[in-house]
């Protein structure tokens, strides 16, 4: 084997050590493979010391030695070019065998039989279909086993925010569930008994709309078809999640339409009602004409470029009585009215609400101006406007004329005065309201309590009667309309009726001062993507006045990732005064209330709700529609059933999912509340995070989660949201299997690695280009794993492991790096920073292992005696590396981890046999536990020492590259490198390394580091540089001088030459 080092074939441009004889990645030869189709040898071979590089120029030359003996006949594959120190990770498309590699190969190479080549059954490429089919069974065994075997161990609960059971999975689902799976698998490996119950949100309008509507269809029929649709969607989504390797309790998922869940939700509703949070009231709510139902804030999305017709409308100020004693302001107003009309100028973007106007609101502390709208007009024809002082200039610009200010007064001076409505001549009051602003409009707010929540509260505070709504469920005018707009009855307020009101105000009333198109943010129904309106209806609400601040306070005890998400959630909480929980649909959980037929008063008591709850627990909520009222009422009220009718409203779906903590974490799971973590998309700050928090704080006084983690949205490569209309929606199954723009399948681990690399706290993108990088990264991870497995085929840690004290210096250094790496990824997993973990894994595999340790380890592994100390020292480290590295990427790329487990040599884990009790022949990588590094491995002084060595190695490579480019050498193996170094930490480090040299066995650690035939060091303080080489008449020497780092050299300014390193080849 020592002699072999001097007779290695080389190629011009790429160094070849023992591995070069057998070709393929890491020098692996598959059973039955021909080396001629795989080798990286050149078309003609050179002996280590060629005679083809003579020259008479003064250019420095490489050492030349006489040609030795005729070269054995070799195969003639295509020549490889370029210098590559990461050559084991290069993917060879011809090497597709997944069978065990042989030690000697089948190429006929006369030296192959002298090598200890890697042996592994681990394939270069995964069998995607087989892995995808087998993973669900393995995961079921794993989840069940940990539940049983870890009873009484620390528990970790991740509560699943239920996806909507509507349609196929998309990349948003993939990112969501995979991020959760990373958490669960990591906690499982840390020894926790994990609890992850998947769930589905099943009720609501989107599913109900899937049911074909026809005349005569009954609520029970609609519900049956909606339930069937939800079941089909759940089956499809569940199959997809399982195929992605999601580890969860798939045998016992929860659904919001399950009878036991619905009964639990009714119980939660009753508790909220008994505590006084639930009430019924007539007030404006978001109403969707396209869905014909009330909506909560969480069901609203905002269209940023909605266009409205904005009007400035004149409302004539009524005559100021001469009997008024309000002082100077009244005197001025009376005087101006003697000259013309004074109009309160209101501004609105919803002209259709003007028929419902009940007041004009002004801010008591703002300054208002009376301006001359027609300067120079004669007495009796003048016109004056009242507007807020801060908006005078803006109105002048819009009108294109000057508006001289005639008088200023405080808003409070208008309180109690009246004006005449231009549409129906009603006399209405000015009211004071602190909600009035000066950012837009005129500072006088048209107030319609039926169509605005601020309007409603101002009117309520001033004892104005309950609002009268002139708009029906379809968004059309109905009721007692003014005669001037009677012709608009039945017209949509979002189209024809809005235009009609403008026409009447302009043509019949001469009240429109200015009309313009106004682009602004407007609420839309998140399901139908159509505009909504504010409309006063009788609804059921949860009052939030006493809940918001306790809910905000509870977040102080919650870890929130990213931290800025806390402010976002708090803002949404503080922006709510009540929560409308009633919906005018049939596919949902009914609000269990009965109404007196004569008075309309609701009947809701503990006994009535509890009775319905018991019925639902056994029959489901269908009973509310299928059973007569006599059976729905408790026995004590059965004789009075004829007096009541049952309500038809159902509960908001956010209350459905917001009640999940009560059923899943408390009632079905005795150790589940509060959950260790909730993690969903950032949109859930307005949805599930909030509804869960409010209900939990109301009933338990605490948040239902200890940690809250949010992720951004998935965008296309151009940064656009996924949209069917744009055609940029990415199907995750196309990513996995290939299809459409994804010509090459990435496999499940490709999808998983994409999710792990995404910096999820922001929006992330997916497309062919990012997936190309992901596939290449995954190939590197596979090749690294294959190298480790192949070189441990004959290693038994129980008998062959080398004690730490006897390890080579480079091996101790790698254990130090491994310790730092293991601690780092553990800390990142604890913080849910999976993108940092993924990048650390890739950097460690490529930079520390492939480009460095593997590069210099091959000679020891392939060419040393099987049981030599140097070889076993390297294998001892490789065994530790395999264990730590595989465990570090296992939660992220679980399929790869199970492959590593499947193809690991039996003797590596013979001391810790793993199996499932219910399936003795099967086991999982995830039964191995987490990373365990020895504290002795941590040697920071080695880090500094080896940084010097690796820097010197880099400089030496530069010199070798010059020699190669000048065609003095074809390979570094033709060279002998000498470092001439002054006394310094670098000299000490190299000298300590050189002390491990064993010339009797041909082992030179410095030569191994450089992958050269020989290497040595000289102390320039005691020996002149290049002395030995200068005496060799056959030597041609390339010498370079590089600065020695000033912080590492022993400071001797008087000896300038000692501040440099000389490298001779």
């Amino acid at each position: 084997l020592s002699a072999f080092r001097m007779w290695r074939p080389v190629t011009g441009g790429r160094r070849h050590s023992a591995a070069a004889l057998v070709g393929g990645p890491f020098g692996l030869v598959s059973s039955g493979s021909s080396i001629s189709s795989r080798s990286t040898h050149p078309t003609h071979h050179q002996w280590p010391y060629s005679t083809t590089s003579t020259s008479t120029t003064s250019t420095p030359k490489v050492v030349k030695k006489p040609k030795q003996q005729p070269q054995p006949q070799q195969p003639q594959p295509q020549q490889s070019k370029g210098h590559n120190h990461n050559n084991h990770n290069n993917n060879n498309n011809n090497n597709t065998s997944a069978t065990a590699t042989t030690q000697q190969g089948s190429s006929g190479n006369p030296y192959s039989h002298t090598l200890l080549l890697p042996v592994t059954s681990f394939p270069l490429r995964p069998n995607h279909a087989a892995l995808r089919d087998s993973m669900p069974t393995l995961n079921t065994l794993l989840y069940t086993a940990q539940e049983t075997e870890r009873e009484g161990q620390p528990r970790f609960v991740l509560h699943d925010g239920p996806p909507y059971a509507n349609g196929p999975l998309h990349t948003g689902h993939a990112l969501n569930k995979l991020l959760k799976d990373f958490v669960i698998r990591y906690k499982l490996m840390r020894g926790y008994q994990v609890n992850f119950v998947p769930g589905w949100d099943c009720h609501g309008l989107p599913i109900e709309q899937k049911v074909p509507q026809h005349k005569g269809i009954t609520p029970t029929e609609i519900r049956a078809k909606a339930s069937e649709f939800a079941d089909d969607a759940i089956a499809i989504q569940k199959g997809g999640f399982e195929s992605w390797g999601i580890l969860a309790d798939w045998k016992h998922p929860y659904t919001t339409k399950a009878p036991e869940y619905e009964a639990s939700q009714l119980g939660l509703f009753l508790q909220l009602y008994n505590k006084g949070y639930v009430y019924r009231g007539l007030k404006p709510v978001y109403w969707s004409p396209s869905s014909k139902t009330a909506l909560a804030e969480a069901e609203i999305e905002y269209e940023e470029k909605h266009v409205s017709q904005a009007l400035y409308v004149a409302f004539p100020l009524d005559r100021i009585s001469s009997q008024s004693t309000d002082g100077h302001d009244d005197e001025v107003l009376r005087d101006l009215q003697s000259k013309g009309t004074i109009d309160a100028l209101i501004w609105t973007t919803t002209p259709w609400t003007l028929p419902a106007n009940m007041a004009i609101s002004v801010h008591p502390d703002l300054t208002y101006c009376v301006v001359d709208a027609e300067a120079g007009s004669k007495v009796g024809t003048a016109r004056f406007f009242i507007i807020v002082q801060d908006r005078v200039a803006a109105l002048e610009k819009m009108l294109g004329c000057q508006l001289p200010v005639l008088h200023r007064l405080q808003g409070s001076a208008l309180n109690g005065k009246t004006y005449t409505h231009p549409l129906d001549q009603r006399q209405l009051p000015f009211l004071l309201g602190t909600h009035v602003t000066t950012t837009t409009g005129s500072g006088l707010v048209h107030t319609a309590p039926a169509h605005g929540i601020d309007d409603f509260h101002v009117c309520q505070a001033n004892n104005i009667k309950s609002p009268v709504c002139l708009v029906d469920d379809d968004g059309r005018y109905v009721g007692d309309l003014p005669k001037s707009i009677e012709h608009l009855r039945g017209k949509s307020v979002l189209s024809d009726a809005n235009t009609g009101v403008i026409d009447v105000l302009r043509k019949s009333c001469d009240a429109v001062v200015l009309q313009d198109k106004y682009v602004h943010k407007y609420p839309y129904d998140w399901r139908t993507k159509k505009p909504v309106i504010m409309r006063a209806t009788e609804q059921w609400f949860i009052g939030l006045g006493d809940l918001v601040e306790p809910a905000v306070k509870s977040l102080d005890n919650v870890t929130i990732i990213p931290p800025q998400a806390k402010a976002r959630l708090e803002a949404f909480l503080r922006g709510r005064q009540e929560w409308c929980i009633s919906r005018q649909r049939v596919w949902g959980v009914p609000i269990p209330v009965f109404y007196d037929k004569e008075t309309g008063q609701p009947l809701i008591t503990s006994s009535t709700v509890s009775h319905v709850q018991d019925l639902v627990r056994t029959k489901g909520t269908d009973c509310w529609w299928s059973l007569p009222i006599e059976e729905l009422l408790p026995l004590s009220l059965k004789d009075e059933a004829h007096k009541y009718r049952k309500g038809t409203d159902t509960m908001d779906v956010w209350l459905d999912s917001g009640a999940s903590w009560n059923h899943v974490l408390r009632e079905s799971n005795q150790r589940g509340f509060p959950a260790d973590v909730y993690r969903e998309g950032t949109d859930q700050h307005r949805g599930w995070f909030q509804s869960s928090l409010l209900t939990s704080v109301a009933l338990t006084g605490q948040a239902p989660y200890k940690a809250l983690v949010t992720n951004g949205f998935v965008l296309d490569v151009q940064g656009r949201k996924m949209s069917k209309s744009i055609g940029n929606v990415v199907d995750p199954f196309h990513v996995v299997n290939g299809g459409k723009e994804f010509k090459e399948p990435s496999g499940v681990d490709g999808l998983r690695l994409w999710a792990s690399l995404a910096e999820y706290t922001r929006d992330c993108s997916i497309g062919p280009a990012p997936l190309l990088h992901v596939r290449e990264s995954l190939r590197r991870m596979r090749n690294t794993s294959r190298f480790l497995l192949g070189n441990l085929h004959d290693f038994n840690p129980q008998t062959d492991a080398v004690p730490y004290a006897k390890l080579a210096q480079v091996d101790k250094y790698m254990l130090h790096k491994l310790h730092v790496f293991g601690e780092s990824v553990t800390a990142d997993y604890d913080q849910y920073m999976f993108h940092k973990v993924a990048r650390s894994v890739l950097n460690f595999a490529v930079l520390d292992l492939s480009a460095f340790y593997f590069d210099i380890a091959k000679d020891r592994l392939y060419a040393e005696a099987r049981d030599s100390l140097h070889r076993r020292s390297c294998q001892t480290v490789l065994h530790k590396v395999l264990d730590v590295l595989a465990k570090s990427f296992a939660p992220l790329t679980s399929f790869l981890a199970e492959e590593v487990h499947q193809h690991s040599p039996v003797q590596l884990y013979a001391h810790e046999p793993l199996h499932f009790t219910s399936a003795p022949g099967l086991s999982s990588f995830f039964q191995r536990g987490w990373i365990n590094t020895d504290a002795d491995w941590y040697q920071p002084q080695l880090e500094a020492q080896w940084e010097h060595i690796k820097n010197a190695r880099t400089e030496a490579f530069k010199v070798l590259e010059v020699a190669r480019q000048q065609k003095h050498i074809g390979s570094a193996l033709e060279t002998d490198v000498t470092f001439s170094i002054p006394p310094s930490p670098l000299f000490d480090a190299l000298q300590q390394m050189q002390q491990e040299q064993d010339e009797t066995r041909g082992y030179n650690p410095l030569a191994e580091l450089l992958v050269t035939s020989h290497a040595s060091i000289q102390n320039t303080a005691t020996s002149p540089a290049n002395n030995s080489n200068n005496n060799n008449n056959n030597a041609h020497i390339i010498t370079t001088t590089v600065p020695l780092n000033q912080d590492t050299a022993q400071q001797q300014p008087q000896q300038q030459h000692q501040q440099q390193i000389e490298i001779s080849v």
Side-chain angles (χ1 to χ4, degrees):
L1 292 176
S2 297
F4 164 76
R5 295 177 180 277
M6 302 301 294
W7 294 100
R8 287 178 276 202
V10 296
T11 175
R14 176 178 292 175
R15 58 99 181 148
H16 285 271
S17 57
L21 288 173
V22 291
F26 336 130
L28 295 177
V29 178
S30 298
S31 177
S33 300
S34 169
I35 192 170
S36 63
S37 66
R38 306 147 53 86
S39 174
T40 55
H41 295 179
T43 55
H44 67 278
H45 289 291
Q46 296 177 330
W47 287 111
Y49 303 99
S50 172
T51 59
T52 62
S53 301
T54 59
S55 175
T56 59
T57 69
S58 60
T59 304
K61 304 297 180 185
V62 162
V63 176
K64 298 192 299 180
K65 293 192 178 181
K67 182 164 65 177
Q68 302 293 325
Q69 65 183 55
Q71 176 184 354
Q73 185 65 33
Q74 300 288 345
Q76 305 294 315
Q78 182 179 357
Q79 185 168 352
S80 173
K81 298 181 180 180
H83 192 75
N84 190 342
H85 293 288
N86 190 26
N87 123 62
H88 86 276
N89 252 341
N90 291 334
N91 187 48
N92 187 331
N93 291 330
N94 293 324
N95 192 344
T96 59
S97 172
T99 60
T101 62
T102 65
Q103 181 174 321
Q104 297 180 359
S106 56
S107 65
N109 190 296
Y111 302 109
S112 298
H113 70 281
T114 71
L115 304 178
L116 297 171
L117 299 180
V119 176
T120 183
S121 59
F122 186 87
L124 278 174
R125 292 182 179 83
N127 185 334
H128 294 304
L131 290 170
R132 193 168 58 249
D133 293 343
S134 62
M135 188 62 81
T137 299
L138 193 61
N139 282 340
T140 298
L141 290 169
L142 180 61
Y143 192 90
T144 303
Q146 66 90 27
E147 276 194 314
T148 304
E149 297 167 4
R150 295 186 180 180
E151 187 62 40
Q153 295 297 315
R155 202 172 206 214
F156 184 87
V157 178
L158 193 161
H159 185 37
D160 191 26
Y164 204 58
N166 178 27
L169 297 175
H170 51 69
T171 47
H173 289 108
L175 181 65
N176 178 284
K177 276 295 192 291
L178 290 173
L179 290 173
K180 293 174 181 176
D181 192 58
F182 301 158
V183 176
I184 287 298
R185 289 184 180 273
Y186 168 64
K187 293 298 182 178
L188 176 69
M189 295 179 73
R190 292 304 301 265
Y192 288 89
Q193 182 193 51
V194 297
N195 180 268
F196 181 47
V197 180
W200 277 272
D201 198 351
C202 302
H203 295 131
L205 182 64
I207 294 178
E208 186 172 334
Q209 288 181 326
K210 299 291 184 181
V211 177
Q213 303 289 323
H214 57 82
K215 187 176 182 179
I217 189 170
T218 65
T220 303
E221 291 172 332
I222 293 175
R223 288 175 58 83
K225 291 183 181 296
S227 180
E228 182 181 349
F229 179 88
D231 286 338
D232 291 342
I234 290 171
I236 293 172
Q237 292 185 8
K238 178 175 178 288
F241 290 143
E242 289 190 278
S243 73
W244 297 340
I246 307 301
L247 184 65
D249 189 358
W250 295 111
K251 290 184 176 180
H252 309 99
Y254 77 92
T255 66
T256 60
K257 74 183 187 71
E260 62 274 13
Y261 188 99
E262 294 173 324
S264 172
Q265 183 176 334
L266 289 173
L268 178 138
F269 173 85
L270 177 60
Q271 292 181 67
L272 291 171
Y273 181 81
N274 286 338
K275 282 179 171 281
Y277 292 114
V278 177
Y279 65 92
R280 182 172 173 82
L282 174 65
K283 62 176 60 179
V285 296
Y286 286 114
W287 184 272
S288 172
S290 57
S291 298
K292 298 181 183 179
T293 186
L295 300 177
E297 175 67 31
E299 297 170 294
I300 296 297
E301 61 185 20
Y302 288 88
E303 169 56 52
E304 299 286 343
K305 296 182 179 180
H306 180 85
V307 179
S308 295
Q309 291 295 324
L311 298 183
Y312 282 88
V313 183
F315 282 55
L317 179 69
D318 290 335
R319 289 285 176 181
I320 305 298
S321 171
S322 60
Q323 304 300 319
S324 173
T325 58
D326 287 347
H328 179 64
D329 289 329
D330 282 358
E331 290 180 7
V332 172
L333 293 176
R334 278 196 297 268
D335 180 61
L336 291 174
Q337 284 182 330
S338 68
K339 301 175 183 178
T341 59
I342 301 177
D343 294 324
L345 202 61
I346 66 95
W347 179 77
T348 181
T349 59
T350 54
W352 62 268
T353 63
L354 289 172
N357 174 268
M358 299 292 290
I360 292 177
S361 296
V362 295
H363 197 291
D365 300 326
L366 291 178
T367 299
Y368 289 81
C369 297
V370 182
V371 299
D372 189 349
E374 298 181 18
S377 295
K378 296 180 179 179
V379 175
T381 61
R383 192 175 192 185
F384 310 100
F385 293 153
I386 300 175
I387 59 173
V388 73
Q389 178 174 270
D390 293 347
R391 297 293 298 168
V392 171
L395 188 59
E396 286 178 330
K397 184 177 181 180
M398 287 185 284
L399 291 175
C401 65
Q402 294 296 311
L403 299 173
V405 176
L406 305 179
H407 181 65
R408 290 180 175 85
L409 69 164
Q410 291 299 106
S412 56
L414 293 171
N415 186 34
K417 293 179 172 51
T418 61
Y419 63 92
T420 299
H421 197 296
L423 288 175
D424 56 12
Q425 307 308 306
R426 285 177 296 147
Q427 285 189 327
L428 300 169
F430 285 88
L431 303 177
L432 301 181
T434 55
H435 65 289
V436 178
T437 67
T438 61
T439 53
T440 56
S442 64
L444 292 91
V445 176
H446 145 59
T447 302
H451 301 295
I453 193 63
D454 287 330
D455 302 16
F456 175 83
H457 289 306
V458 166
C459 288
Q460 289 289 105
N462 287 275
N463 297 315
I464 293 179
K465 63 181 181 180
S466 297
V468 176
C469 184
L470 303 176
V471 181
D472 67 7
D473 293 358
D474 293 314
R476 301 177 184 277
Y477 271 147
V478 293
D480 189 15
L481 295 172
K483 291 182 179 180
S484 60
I485 62 168
E486 179 62 35
H487 63 287
L488 300 179
R489 183 179 299 277
K491 303 289 186 181
S492 171
V493 298
L494 291 173
S495 56
D496 295 345
N498 196 56
T499 304
V501 169
I502 296 173
D503 289 343
V504 171
L505 288 170
R506 180 182 296 280
K507 297 175 182 179
S508 302
C509 305
D510 192 26
V512 176
V513 175
L514 184 66
Q515 178 180 351
D516 196 13
K517 290 183 179 180
Y518 181 64
V519 180
H520 62 128
K521 185 168 69 173
Y522 190 86
Y524 274 55
D525 185 329
W526 73 319
R527 298 185 183 95
T528 64
K529 310 301 180 184
K530 294 183 178 180
V532 302
I533 60 176
M534 291 294 287
R535 172 175 178 255
T537 61
E538 284 195 316
Q539 302 290 339
W540 287 91
F541 298 88
I542 292 178
L544 302 180
D546 297 330
L547 275 179
V548 169
E549 287 309 315
V552 170
K553 183 66 176 176
S554 72
L555 295 177
D556 292 340
N557 300 318
V558 177
T559 300
I560 299 181
I561 301 173
Q564 60 267 28
K566 182 179 181 182
R568 176 179 169 86
L569 180 54
E570 288 179 353
F572 281 127
L573 287 168
R574 288 197 166 105
R576 301 181 70 177
Q577 296 176 334
E578 62 273 312
W579 172 8
C580 178
I581 61 170
S582 52
R583 297 295 179 271
Q584 289 65 54
R585 312 306 307 175
V586 298
W587 178 230
V589 176
I591 293 180
V593 61
F594 303 90
Y595 296 96
D596 188 292
K597 290 179 180 179
E598 292 185 1
T599 65
Q601 290 299 308
L603 171 65
I604 180 170
T605 66
S606 294
S607 62
T608 60
V609 176
S610 296
H611 180 70
V612 173
Q613 184 183 12
D614 291 339
L615 291 172
V616 168
R617 189 174 286 111
T618 57
K619 301 176 183 295
T621 50
D622 282 346
C623 68
W624 184 259
W625 284 267
S626 62
L627 294 180
I629 195 169
E630 289 81 4
E631 295 185 39
L632 294 173
L633 286 167
L635 186 61
S636 60
L637 293 172
K638 188 174 183 179
D639 293 339
E640 300 180 28
H642 62 282
K643 297 181 180 180
Y644 297 99
R645 60 177 177 84
K646 55 188 174 184
T648 58
D649 292 338
T650 56
M651 294 188 195
D652 176 18
V653 292
W654 290 114
L655 186 56
D656 286 16
S657 58
S660 63
W661 62 267
N662 185 52
H663 176 67
V664 180
L665 301 182
R666 285 214 308 180
E667 297 179 349
S668 302
N669 188 340
Q670 296 303 312
R671 292 196 294 156
F673 182 84
D676 289 283
V677 65
Y678 275 36
R679 69 159 310 132
E680 298 296 333
T682 185
D683 55 326
Q684 297 308 316
H685 290 123
R686 297 174 59 228
W688 189 55
F689 290 162
Q690 193 177 144
S691 63
S692 299
L693 178 66
L694 291 170
T695 53
S696 179
V697 169
L699 299 185
T700 71
Q702 67 178 112
Y705 33 73
K706 300 175 186 175
L708 198 63
V709 185
T710 59
N711 58 268
F713 295 108
V714 180
L715 311 177
D716 67 10
V717 290
Q718 298 180 37
R720 300 175 301 177
K721 291 183 178 181
M722 301 288 180
S723 169
K724 291 181 180 179
S725 60
I726 298 177
N728 65 341
V729 176
V730 174
D731 186 336
F733 295 100
H734 288 161
V735 174
V736 172
N737 305 317
K740 287 193 175 181
E741 69 268 42
F742 300 99
K743 297 180 180 179
E744 183 179 345
S746 298
V748 173
D749 268 344
L751 185 67
R752 295 179 68 94
L753 187 57
W754 162 78
S756 66
L757 285 166
E759 193 168 348
Y760 65 80
T761 56
R762 308 173 182 174
D763 293 342
C764 54
S765 64
I766 189 169
L771 265 297
L772 180 64
H773 168 70
V774 166
R775 288 195 299 274
E776 178 58 30
S777 298
L778 190 56
R779 274 193 284 266
R780 290 179 178 272
M781 292 169 64
R782 292 189 65 83
N783 288 345
T784 300
S785 301
R786 192 167 187 256
F787 180 88
L788 290 165
L789 291 170
N791 284 289
L792 291 171
H793 68 94
D794 62 347
F795 179 76
N796 187 333
Q798 299 300 302
T799 58
D800 300 328
V802 175
Y804 180 81
K806 294 184 178 181
L807 293 176
Q809 286 298 309
V810 67
D811 296 334
K812 290 181 179 179
Y813 169 64
M814 278 314 302
L815 287 182
H816 165 76
K817 296 289 286 185
L818 191 63
H819 182 278
V820 172
F821 167 74
E823 294 293 310
S824 173
V825 297
T826 300
D828 288 336
Y829 269 119
D830 285 336
Q831 295 298 317
Y832 307 113
M833 294 291 101
F834 306 120
H835 62 286
K836 291 185 178 181
V837 174
R839 291 168 189 169
S840 294
V841 167
L842 291 171
N843 288 337
F844 185 71
V846 173
L847 301 178
D848 293 311
L849 296 178
S850 302
F852 178 67
Y853 190 66
F854 290 174
D855 204 36
I856 65 178
K858 293 175 188 175
D859 278 2
R860 276 197 287 170
L861 293 170
Y862 302 168
E864 288 289 338
R866 181 183 301 275
D867 293 322
S868 72
L869 175 63
H870 301 304
R871 184 170 184 270
R872 292 305 191 196
S873 176
C874 183
Q875 285 183 308
T876 299
V877 173
L878 292 183
H879 176 233
K880 300 299 184 184
V881 168
L882 174 64
D883 183 69
V884 173
L885 183 65
K887 287 176 178 176
S888 70
F889 64 62
L892 311 182
T893 52
S894 57
F895 285 58
L896 176 57
E898 294 294 6
E899 278 190 277
V900 169
H901 178 69
Q902 178 184 352
H903 296 281
S904 292
V906 175
Q907 74 277 4
L908 292 185
Y909 301 99
H911 63 291
E912 49 175 353
L914 304 173
H915 66 274
F916 295 115
T917 305
S918 58
L922 295 176
S923 60
S924 170
F925 181 92
F926 292 88
Q927 294 173 290
R928 292 185 180 179
W930 187 238
I931 293 170
N932 184 20
T933 56
D934 195 317
D936 291 341
W937 298 356
Y938 182 65
Q939 301 291 336
Q941 73 279 5
L942 283 178
E943 180 84 38
Q945 176 179 322
W946 273 89
E947 283 305 309
H948 297 316
I949 294 174
K950 288 165 75 174
N951 288 338
R953 180 178 186 252
T954 300
E955 295 298 332
F957 282 160
K958 293 177 182 178
V959 181
L960 293 171
E961 181 63 15
V962 171
R964 188 192 68 79
Q965 290 177 357
Q966 295 179 358
K967 302 189 182 304
H968 299 313
I969 63 171
S971 167
L973 292 169
E974 301 176 27
T975 64
D976 180 349
V977 175
T978 301
F979 288 93
S980 298
I981 311 172
S984 62
L986 173 59
F987 179 85
D988 296 339
L990 290 176
Q991 186 178 48
Q992 184 177 0
M993 186 179 182
Q994 198 74 340
Q995 289 173 356
E996 297 178 357
Q997 182 168 331
D998 185 351
E999 293 291 356
T1000 62
R1001 300 185 58 81
Y1003 178 66
N1004 183 320
L1006 189 53
E1008 179 183 80
L1009 178 72
L1010 302 176
V1011 200
T1012 59
S1013 291
H1014 192 269
S1016 59
I1017 60 172
Q1018 291 186 31
N1019 187 336
T1020 57
T1022 58
S1023 303
N1026 298 319
N1027 218 20
S1028 60
N1029 283 334
N1030 285 333
N1031 292 331
N1032 189 334
N1033 293 330
N1034 293 318
H1036 290 270
I1037 301 172
I1038 291 181
T1039 303
T1040 188
T1041 301
V1042 297
L1044 178 66
N1045 290 341
Q1046 293 298 316
D1047 59 338
T1048 61
Q1050 294 181 0
Q1051 301 301 315
Q1052 300 181 32
Q1054 71 278 14
Q1055 300 181 22
Q1056 186 62 33
H1057 70 279
Q1058 291 187 351
Q1059 301 304 309
Q1060 298 177 332
I1061 307 172
E1062 194 172 86
I1063 305 174
S1064 300
V1065 177

